[in-house]
């Protein structure tokens, strides 16, 4: 039962946070510097979540295993600007081979 309470509180908090932006800005547009910073928040959070899930284990702090190889191969494929399906396939292949 407490899980549903936490989910409800998080949902209410999310709605509240999303309502703050339009309420404080009114009809104005934010400055260009603010928009450029806001655009970088989602990729930074996603990157940190991927790194955390890749390098952490439920029993110990830092874990280096096959997932790190897959992340490295996927990162190299992304830097080479390959299509997304190729990045995923190469990362999965690298993890499987490791």
């Amino acid at each position: 039962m407490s899980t549903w309470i936490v989910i409800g509180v998080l949902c209410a908090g999310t709605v509240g946070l999303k309502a703050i932006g339009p309420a404080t800005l009114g009809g104005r547009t934010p400055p260009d510097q603010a928009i450029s910073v806001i655009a970088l928040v989602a990729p930074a959070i996603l990157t940190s979540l991927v790194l955390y899930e890749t390098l952490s284990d439920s029993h110990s702090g830092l874990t280096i295993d096959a997932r790190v190889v897959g992340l490295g191969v996927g990162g190299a494929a992304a830097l080479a600007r390959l299509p997304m399906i190729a990045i995923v396939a190469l990362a999965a292949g690298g993890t499987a081979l490791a």
Side-chain angles (χ1 to χ4, degrees):
M1 184 63 177
S2 65
T3 303
W4 289 107
I5 293 171
V6 170
I7 291 172
V9 168
L10 289 174
C11 287
T14 301
V15 169
L17 286 174
K18 286 183 176 264
I20 288 174
T24 56
L25 287 176
R28 298 171 290 159
T29 58
D32 290 335
Q33 289 179 336
I35 291 175
S36 64
V37 170
I38 291 169
L40 296 175
V41 170
I45 291 174
L46 180 62
T47 302
S48 65
L49 288 172
V50 167
L51 286 174
Y52 176 78
E53 288 297 322
T54 301
L55 299 175
S56 69
D57 191 9
S58 61
H59 303 296
S60 63
L62 181 65
T63 304
I64 305 295
D65 57 4
R67 295 177 295 179
V68 176
V69 174
L71 182 64
V73 170
L79 286 174
R81 301 203 183 270
L82 295 177
M84 185 56 71
I85 190 71
I87 294 171
V88 172
L90 288 170
T95 304
L97 288 175

